[in-house]
Amino acid sequence: MANVTVIGAQWGDEGKGKIVDWLASRADAVVRFQGGHNAGHTLVIDGNVYKLSLLPSGIVSGTLSIIGNGVVLDPWALKAEVEKLEGQGVVINADNLAVADNCPLILPIHRDLDGLRETAAGAGKIGTTGRGIGPAYEDKVGRRAIRVCDLAHLDSLEPQLDRLCAHHDALRAGFDQPPVDREALLEELRGIADFVLQYAQPVWKRLKKVRKAGAKILFEGAQGVLLDIDHGTYPFVTSSNTVSGTAASGSGLGPNSTGYVLGIVKAYTTRVGSGPFPTELEDEIGQRLGERGHEFGTVTGRQRRVGWFDAVIVRQSCAISGVTGIALTKIDVLDGLDEVKICTGYRLRGNVYDYFPSHAADQAEVEPIYETMDGWSESTAGARSFADLPANAVKYVQRIQELIETPVALVSTSPERDDTILMRDPFMD
Ligand code: GDP
Ligand code: IMO
Ligand code: MG
């Protein structure tokens, strides 16, 4: 298999950015295929930290980076991110960045609506990133979105803009907000159009060419399977399909091209935002893991909720996403614990479950069944070979592998690019 699809197998922030960057040196193109700038992917290379939200993580190593049609694109966020990375010395131009001309745009009215809905929901809020992701996807499936290709035709945009704004005006009226200022919106689009259009193209065609030339393509998922609009903890999810299958529809290559599916899995569990989290720890161990793992959101700076490793949800994610092998990240954060726990099943109203039920109330009520293992006092931080891991850490990795019924291909032992243990090469498997 020449291509690799990277997805998050928990609630996001598993370390996808680090692993994509590490794999990017072996790839010829990196493709984002869903989500938007709600993602926050962190790369650390020789101590330099790069935080990417919209740009594929391959851009930092100079690999051809493609934003596929499945992404919702905020053009102003794109510009800001390009400028920020250029400020860090990253070279970005029309040769190494391509944006699908059929990407729907995130507009300021989407951000407004995201915020208005969250405020109105009060305690029942989703805890979104506030980036307008959900409202933009709604307009896409509602067939009223403005897309990248429309930026080349702003003089004839009025009928489309009217349809979109009529819909938003009705929603805004419900929140006591004034109607959309169509002229101001059009002016803002005029101001950003050329910047986006320099990268715009039918990326399916570019990918076809790249593929024909025998290139290796790396697909970079955002979020995680438990945030998937169908398979996640609905309604506390994001508004796209985050599973591996989306790599095909969200880029314009068929499902026979997406290759090895690499699930990124944190050695414990985190979640940012509201919603069920069976293994959540609200004690000092949770606090310790949060501090050691620097568990603060890359995008919003919010503190991430932390819990023990949940083998039930990861096994489910691996099945749903057809995961070939996993990259287990942040094992170093567990160093120094006397014991570590793994959730192997749930108890719910007297019954034992080996899967995460679909209903929100059941998801909120399940009680984890734990298996306890001895921890390790030695350091795993920075280990680059499996032989360097302490015996109990090896046992932990092996037990996870058994419980999730999926092999471990990589282990990550620090934020740094090269602190990565390769067990099976996804590009060769
Ligand atoms: P992503 O959204 O999946 O790309 O993950 P984030 O970048 O949002 O969050 C992962 C965080 O963990 C980042 O700060 C990474 O630098 C860091 N990280 C990644 N792998 C490791 C690891 O193996 N050990 C430690 N300690 N940190 C890691
Ligand atoms: P990466 O790619 C973690 C969460 C939000 C919220 C829910 C919906 O860095 O792993 P949205 O703004 O998408 O409508 O918010 O999804 N969320 C993420 N959590 N990592 C992410 O991305 C996330 N992107 C969205 O916190 O709970
Ligand atoms: Mg993240």
Side-chain angles (χ1 to χ4, degrees):
M1 282 192 230
N3 301 335
V4 176
T5 299
V6 167
I7 54 120
Q10 291 153 318
W11 277 283
D13 303 327
E14 299 90 350
K16 298 177 291 294
K18 159 167 174 168
I19 301 295
V20 169
D21 167 61
W22 188 80
L23 288 169
S25 61
R26 296 151 194 251
D28 303 291
V30 181
V31 186
R32 275 283 306 268
F33 54 88
Q34 47 71 231
H37 64 312
N38 50 349
H41 296 178
T42 316
L43 284 50
V44 184
I45 304 159
D46 298 331
N48 297 311
V49 180
Y50 303 87
K51 289 178 189 285
L52 308 183
S53 285
L54 197 44
L55 290 167
S57 297
I59 199 81
V60 176
S61 55
T63 312
L64 171 62
S65 292
I66 295 180
I67 297 181
N69 56 278
V71 169
V72 279
L73 185 104
D74 179 324
W76 299 277
L78 178 69
K79 185 162 188 276
E81 193 168 317
V82 166
E83 286 169 355
K84 184 182 81 176
L85 283 169
E86 284 176 341
Q88 289 188 274
V90 178
V91 176
I92 302 174
N93 53 44
D95 288 330
N96 64 12
L97 177 64
V99 174
D101 59 2
N102 50 351
C103 263
L105 297 183
I106 300 182
L107 302 172
I109 51 176
H110 295 123
R111 215 178 316 126
D112 291 350
L113 194 56
D114 198 350
L116 289 165
R117 285 198 181 128
E118 285 283 270
T119 307
K125 70 179 180 186
I126 306 287
T128 72
T129 58
R131 302 289 208 245
I133 305 292
Y137 274 119
E138 286 171 37
D139 282 340
K140 169 183 171 170
V141 297
R143 293 164 291 194
R144 351 167 243 279
I146 309 292
R147 304 191 300 167
V148 166
C149 50
D150 294 318
L151 294 172
H153 302 276
L154 290 179
D155 289 343
S156 54
L157 194 67
E158 219 175 289
Q160 258 172 284
L161 209 53
D162 267 344
R163 191 148 38 94
L164 176 68
C165 292
H167 180 80
H168 277 263
D169 286 349
L171 292 170
R172 292 166 69 93
F175 292 104
D176 287 328
Q177 294 298 304
V180 181
D181 182 340
R182 288 155 170 73
E183 250 328 294
L185 179 53
L186 199 53
E187 247 342 274
E188 285 190 78
L189 289 172
R190 283 201 183 97
I192 197 75
D194 286 346
F195 175 79
V196 180
L197 287 172
Q198 67 179 311
Y199 306 111
Q201 54 189 274
V203 302
W204 65 268
K205 219 162 175 290
R206 179 82 173 255
L207 284 169
K208 184 180 167 199
K209 194 170 153 199
V210 163
R211 193 165 173 245
K212 238 181 161 173
K216 290 182 182 149
I217 304 169
L218 182 55
F219 296 89
E220 178 178 7
Q223 291 83 52
V225 176
L226 272 296
L227 289 170
D228 181 277
I229 186 74
D230 290 306
H231 297 287
T233 43
Y234 194 88
F236 300 100
V237 292
T238 191
S239 295
S240 67
N241 282 112
T242 60
V243 292
S244 59
T246 315
S249 61
S251 67
L253 270 178
N256 55 345
S257 301
T258 49
Y260 185 107
V261 181
L262 182 68
I264 313 301
V265 176
K266 206 177 270 191
Y268 49 100
T269 315
T270 61
R271 161 160 219 179
V272 56
S274 326
F277 183 172
T279 61
E280 184 166 13
L281 286 166
E282 281 164 302
D283 56 8
E284 68 269 25
I285 295 184
Q287 205 178 338
R288 174 193 162 129
L289 295 178
E291 280 163 18
R292 281 183 61 97
H294 304 289
E295 296 296 354
F296 292 91
T298 312
V299 173
T300 56
R302 288 177 293 176
Q303 193 167 353
R304 295 175 184 150
R305 300 155 65 194
V306 177
W308 290 120
F309 186 82
D310 187 337
V312 182
I313 63 161
V314 175
R315 183 167 59 228
Q316 191 157 325
S317 293
C318 287
I320 288 166
S321 237
V323 170
T324 324
I326 68 155
L328 191 68
T329 63
K330 304 191 86 160
I331 190 153
D332 54 294
V333 175
L334 299 174
D335 290 354
L337 290 175
D338 294 335
E339 53 183 34
V340 283
K341 291 188 183 183
I342 301 180
C343 168
T344 57
Y346 301 128
R347 231 174 244 117
L348 177 67
R349 294 178 215 111
N351 295 316
V352 171
Y353 281 68
D354 65 355
Y355 69 98
F356 201 26
S358 298
H359 195 264
D362 291 347
Q363 292 185 343
E365 264 182 60
V366 293
E367 280 174 35
I369 300 168
Y370 286 117
E371 185 173 295
T372 303
M373 299 180 74
D374 288 336
W376 52 93
S377 53
E378 307 91 325
S379 169
T380 64
R384 295 185 182 184
S385 134
F386 203 63
D388 292 341
L389 296 182
N392 284 348
V394 170
K395 280 189 195 154
Y396 184 69
V397 174
Q398 283 169 341
R399 185 65 184 135
I400 284 177
Q401 182 166 261
E402 259 168 40
L403 287 167
I404 65 170
E405 299 165 13
T406 310
V408 176
L410 298 160
V411 179
S412 167
T413 58
S414 101
E416 267 289 343
R417 177 192 268 174
D418 292 324
D419 290 339
T420 306
I421 302 171
L422 176 66
M423 293 161 75
R424 294 177 177 82
D425 187 342
F427 279 119
M428 304 299 280
D429 224 341

